[in-house]
Amino acid sequence: MAFPPLDFSKDRLKLLDQRKLPGAVEWLECRTAEEVVQAIRQMVVRGAPAIGVAAGYGLYLGIQNFEGRREDLLKLLEEKAALLKEARPTAVNLAWAVERVKKRVLSEKSRSADELKIAALQEAEKIREEDDRLCRAIGKHGARLFKAGETALTHCNAGGLATSGYGTALAVFYTLQEEGKAVSVYATETRPLLQGARLTAWELTQSRIPVTLVCESSVASLMRAGKIKRVVVGADRIAANGDTANKIGTYGIALLAKAHQIPFYIAAPSSTFDFSISSGKKIPIENRSSEEITEGFGKRTAPAGIRTENPAFDVTPHKLIAAFITEKGVLNPPYSKSLKVLRLSNDS
Amino acid sequence: MAFPPLDFSKDRLKLLDQRKLPGAVEWLECRTAEEVVQAIRQMVVRGAPAIGVAAGYGLYLGIQNFEGRREDLLKLLEEKAALLKEARPTAVNLAWAVERVKKRVLSEKSRSADELKIAALQEAEKIREEDDRLCRAIGKHGARLFKAGETALTHCNAGGLATSGYGTALAVFYTLQEEGKAVSVYATETRPLLQGARLTAWELTQSRIPVTLVCESSVASLMRAGKIKRVVVGADRIAANGDTANKIGTYGIALLAKAHQIPFYIAAPSSTFDFSISSGKKIPIENRSSEEITEGFGKRTAPAGIRTENPAFDVTPHKLIAAFITEKGVLNPPYSKSLKVLRLSNDS
């Protein structure tokens, strides 16, 4: 079982307000494109795939109340699409989903206004269904790597909350649960923003998967004590050689896994591979504000004016990665071969 | 320059209230043994050496107002010693310092009551001076390992605040500064209790040593980027073979240092070596409460009822340690030889 962070019915998009987790489970109802834009901007919904799905529905909501001529509907469609795409300009999935719904409508523009609205909703549903299918395929391929009853470590939140509900790294755990191969999970709290504590621990608890929350600082001693059999994390971007950018802390965990001979896996859809980048050295790393470290809990915990370094991501060299778990299957080393095959399949 | 967390003058022990750091610099004045007991119990003062020094003065304060017969003074001395030793029963330095002041007074018991009071104060001063001398010797030996201008990483607080003012791991940095060999420091925030953010970052800032605060999760990528040349941390207990118990996270940092070929040093007085324990496997590790992780900032940041593992310490195998920096000199591998020599010198 997983926990979908959004639900669409009766022309309303309900979004789980992730800012309030884990303290409160509150749903925000959006009836217009503008409300969806607000929700994306304010991070009620987060995670590239989930944002894409929400934006798809958002474009339908932008036109669903329209009454009038077809030409005016198409004008409105363009306006709302532009509005949605600006909600978070760097989120690639957002623009992609909005464009996809728009194109679908335009491809049927000889039909009636009502039919065009239905086409928009159908395409939004399709995006959600595809994301779900893709996550479940990742889960299925990943689960084959596990024996029943093993304990895995994950970092940050590559979970249902970041997708249409089934996650990427966490998809592996949901599949293991569904297949009756009990799994238990260590989740790092994931400083500075605590996505592990706030989101991963919460969604695994909701799904009744046994989860133990730990500070990053105890990962090495847990590994040494034999308590962790495998590591599964997500990815933000994967270079052509397999070097992988993910939440800060991932590279350290990969090194610790190597030192303890524990397999370290990346679970991500094939769209995460960026074949235009030859290696991890070319992936730019965002540095974020000091306050995330020094006042992350609404309370100052470090001297005023202290210098910090707060990179949001790090790059794990492909040599530390035991396998990539994608919706198309598990990619094993040597990556110079297996990623070339994936590239051909992505291009097709 | 370092920052002494206590000061004694005019029959008053002033303690820097470390619970209020880094938000406020407040000094608590103790005029009686009872007030010192309260301060130790409530962790106004922390760190085994600093607690020992405070307790020594505490015993003097316990008898300094006494007027009357010498026999009654000695009775009072016993009472106050017992009281102080109970302040934190597990702190070895506390009992050791109290006993030492008591013995000094008893060794001169044929003298007048006023002379006995002075003997107590002299012994308390001597404990403080010895701790300072020992920390400075550690600093001097450690500084020789550095080239000018290098950047080091430290973890938790093995600093002046935990001693009479000069620290153990941080003593190395203070010495480098005094010798004009500029050093800059990365301090981990040290989850869950944030001693790095609250204490180390604060005392290094006070001493004008350039310090950058980072989450544990970014240590690996800082090392890979070549930003860290050496690691220096303290120790809670060192086994006869060199395996070292220290704040949780130390073992992981030692492994990451090894992977990046960065020397990893332990700075600690020779009294930290416990030759009754053959290896790190025999060092018991304290597990602490969930709330330190889930509500560490006065605000719940994880789901209610979540399971946690919160070990306070980990053990770093001696093979990962490039050298031990003690007041008696730098001990290099092979430790089967160098620690044997230290043991003989400790026994003498």
Side-chain angles (χ1 to χ4, degrees):
Chain A
M1 203 195 91
F3 203 97
L6 38 74
D7 180 63
F8 193 88
S9 65
K10 297 179 189 159
D11 286 352
R12 285 167 205 184
L13 177 64
K14 280 170 67 184
L15 296 170
L16 178 61
D17 192 341
Q18 300 193 32
R19 301 167 305 176
K20 307 240 168 115
L21 292 177
V25 178
E26 288 178 20
W27 292 84
L28 188 84
E29 227 177 69
C30 301
R31 297 172 182 229
T32 66
E34 285 75 10
E35 286 173 359
V36 175
V37 167
Q38 277 293 15
I40 293 172
R41 198 165 275 160
Q42 294 171 1
M43 298 181 81
V44 171
V45 60
R46 51 160 280 288
I51 288 173
V53 172
Y57 286 116
L59 187 50
Y60 164 69
L61 289 176
I63 59 169
Q64 65 91 12
N65 266 326
F66 175 83
E67 305 276 352
R69 291 187 314 156
R70 195 168 53 197
E71 291 69 34
D72 293 330
L73 176 71
L74 295 176
K75 221 175 117 189
L76 188 67
L77 180 79
E78 292 285 357
E79 279 171 30
K80 301 296 182 185
L83 190 74
L84 279 157
K85 281 160 73 175
E86 278 168 19
R88 283 184 75 186
T90 51
V92 176
N93 287 51
L94 193 165
W96 168 84
V98 169
E99 279 302 311
R100 187 168 152 175
V101 172
K102 198 178 92 180
K103 270 186 197 153
R104 166 73 187 272
V105 174
L106 294 177
S107 75
E108 302 189 11
K109 65 180 169 191
S110 56
R111 296 184 173 231
S112 74
D114 277 349
E115 282 171 328
L116 292 184
K117 290 180 197 175
I118 286 169
L121 180 56
Q122 281 174 340
E123 197 63 27
E125 285 285 341
K126 217 170 146 188
I127 291 172
R128 188 185 61 69
E129 284 162 14
E130 276 179 21
D131 181 67
D132 189 62
R133 207 153 51 229
L134 184 146
C135 289
R136 284 174 194 273
I138 289 172
K140 219 153 205 167
H141 292 300
R144 279 204 288 271
L145 299 167
F146 278 68
K147 298 193 186 86
E150 286 184 332
T151 299
L153 174 79
T154 192
H155 183 58
C156 198
N157 177 258
L161 292 171
T163 63
S164 59
Y166 208 73
T168 52
L170 299 196
V172 178
F173 307 145
Y174 293 131
T175 307
L176 285 165
Q177 186 189 39
E178 285 169 15
E179 293 178 350
K181 289 160 84 176
V183 63
S184 56
V185 178
Y186 280 100
T188 62
E189 61 171 2
T190 316
R191 284 288 286 152
L193 294 182
L194 298 175
Q195 293 93 336
R198 294 188 295 108
L199 306 177
T200 298
W202 184 83
E203 72 168 274
L204 291 177
T205 302
Q206 290 296 315
S207 304
R208 300 182 187 278
I209 291 178
V211 56
T212 302
L213 181 65
V214 294
C215 295
E216 275 88 321
S217 52
S218 60
V219 168
S221 59
L222 290 170
M223 286 180 170
R224 190 169 167 87
K227 293 183 176 180
I228 293 169
K229 292 296 170 206
R230 295 169 198 281
V231 179
V232 191
V233 300
D236 285 85
R237 208 173 191 185
I238 305 169
N241 69 344
D243 293 352
T244 297
N246 190 42
K247 181 61 56 200
I248 187 73
T250 303
Y251 167 51
I253 292 171
L255 277 172
L256 297 178
K258 183 87 173 177
H260 296 93
Q261 295 161 320
I262 296 166
F264 174 93
Y265 306 114
I266 298 287
S270 57
S271 58
T272 315
F273 289 80
D274 183 348
F275 291 106
S276 74
I277 288 180
S278 60
S279 88
K281 283 179 195 147
K282 298 187 179 159
I283 302 179
I285 300 298
E286 175 191 4
N287 257 288
R288 296 180 56 85
S289 79
S290 281
E291 287 68 29
E292 289 185 356
I293 299 179
T294 60
E295 302 181 32
F297 308 89
K299 185 180 163 183
R300 185 142 198 110
T301 53
I306 190 83
R307 204 181 153 239
T308 68
E309 276 193 41
N310 185 20
F313 306 101
D314 59 26
V315 175
T316 300
H318 62 86
K319 281 189 180 169
L320 298 175
I321 298 165
F324 290 95
I325 306 166
T326 77
E327 80 279 13
K328 297 181 179 177
V330 172
L331 309 179
N332 292 303
Y335 298 126
S336 54
K337 285 191 181 167
S338 54
L339 296 198
K340 203 174 274 174
V341 175
L342 180 73
R343 182 176 193 165
L344 293 171
S345 120
N346 271 5
D347 286 347
S348 69
Chain B
M1 205 196 87
F3 202 95
L6 40 75
D7 180 62
F8 193 88
S9 64
K10 296 181 190 161
D11 287 351
R12 283 165 208 186
L13 177 65
K14 280 169 67 184
L15 296 171
L16 178 62
D17 192 341
Q18 300 193 31
R19 300 167 305 176
K20 309 239 168 115
L21 292 177
V25 178
E26 289 178 19
W27 292 85
L28 189 83
E29 227 176 67
C30 302
R31 297 174 183 227
T32 65
E34 285 74 11
E35 285 173 0
V36 175
V37 167
Q38 278 291 15
I40 293 172
R41 198 165 276 159
Q42 293 172 0
M43 299 182 80
V44 172
V45 59
R46 53 161 279 287
I51 288 173
V53 171
Y57 287 116
L59 188 49
Y60 164 69
L61 289 175
I63 59 168
Q64 64 92 12
N65 266 326
F66 176 81
E67 306 276 352
R69 290 188 314 157
R70 196 167 55 196
E71 292 69 37
D72 292 332
L73 175 70
L74 295 176
K75 222 175 114 187
L76 188 67
L77 180 79
E78 291 286 357
E79 280 171 29
K80 301 298 184 186
L83 190 75
L84 279 156
K85 280 159 72 175
E86 277 168 20
R88 283 184 77 186
T90 50
V92 176
N93 286 50
L94 192 166
W96 168 85
V98 169
E99 278 303 310
R100 186 168 151 176
V101 172
K102 198 178 91 179
K103 270 185 196 155
R104 164 75 186 272
V105 173
L106 293 178
S107 75
E108 302 188 11
K109 66 179 168 188
S110 55
R111 297 182 173 233
S112 74
D114 278 350
E115 282 170 329
L116 293 184
K117 290 181 196 175
I118 287 169
L121 180 54
Q122 281 174 340
E123 198 63 27
E125 285 285 342
K126 216 170 145 188
I127 291 171
R128 188 185 60 68
E129 284 162 13
E130 275 178 23
D131 181 68
D132 190 62
R133 207 154 51 230
L134 186 146
C135 289
R136 284 175 194 272
I138 290 172
K140 219 151 207 170
H141 291 301
R144 281 204 288 269
L145 299 166
F146 278 68
K147 297 193 187 86
E150 285 184 334
T151 299
L153 174 79
T154 191
H155 184 55
C156 197
N157 178 258
L161 292 172
T163 63
S164 58
Y166 208 73
T168 52
L170 299 197
V172 178
F173 307 145
Y174 292 132
T175 307
L176 285 165
Q177 187 189 36
E178 286 170 14
E179 293 179 349
K181 288 160 83 176
V183 64
S184 55
V185 178
Y186 280 101
T188 62
E189 60 170 3
T190 317
R191 283 287 288 155
L193 294 182
L194 299 176
Q195 292 92 336
R198 294 188 295 107
L199 306 177
T200 297
W202 184 83
E203 72 167 274
L204 291 177
T205 302
Q206 289 296 315
S207 304
R208 301 180 186 279
I209 291 178
V211 55
T212 303
L213 181 66
V214 295
C215 295
E216 275 89 321
S217 52
S218 60
V219 168
S221 59
L222 289 171
M223 286 180 171
R224 191 171 167 87
K227 292 184 177 180
I228 292 169
K229 292 296 170 206
R230 297 170 198 280
V231 180
V232 191
V233 300
D236 284 86
R237 209 172 190 185
I238 305 168
N241 69 344
D243 291 353
T244 297
N246 190 43
K247 181 62 56 197
I248 187 71
T250 303
Y251 167 50
I253 292 172
L255 278 172
L256 298 178
K258 184 86 171 178
H260 296 93
Q261 295 163 319
I262 295 166
F264 174 92
Y265 306 115
I266 299 287
S270 57
S271 58
T272 314
F273 289 80
D274 183 348
F275 290 107
S276 73
I277 289 180
S278 60
S279 88
K281 282 179 195 148
K282 298 187 179 160
I283 302 178
I285 300 298
E286 175 190 3
N287 257 287
R288 296 179 58 85
S289 79
S290 280
E291 286 70 29
E292 288 186 356
I293 299 178
T294 60
E295 303 182 32
F297 308 89
K299 184 181 164 183
R300 185 143 198 108
T301 52
I306 189 82
R307 204 182 153 241
T308 68
E309 276 194 41
N310 185 20
F313 306 101
D314 59 25
V315 174
T316 300
H318 62 86
K319 280 188 182 169
L320 298 174
I321 298 166
F324 290 95
I325 306 166
T326 78
E327 80 280 12
K328 297 181 179 176
V330 172
L331 309 178
N332 292 303
Y335 297 125
S336 54
K337 283 189 184 172
S338 55
L339 295 199
K340 203 174 275 175
V341 174
L342 180 72
R343 182 177 193 164
L344 293 170
S345 118
N346 272 5
D347 287 346
S348 67

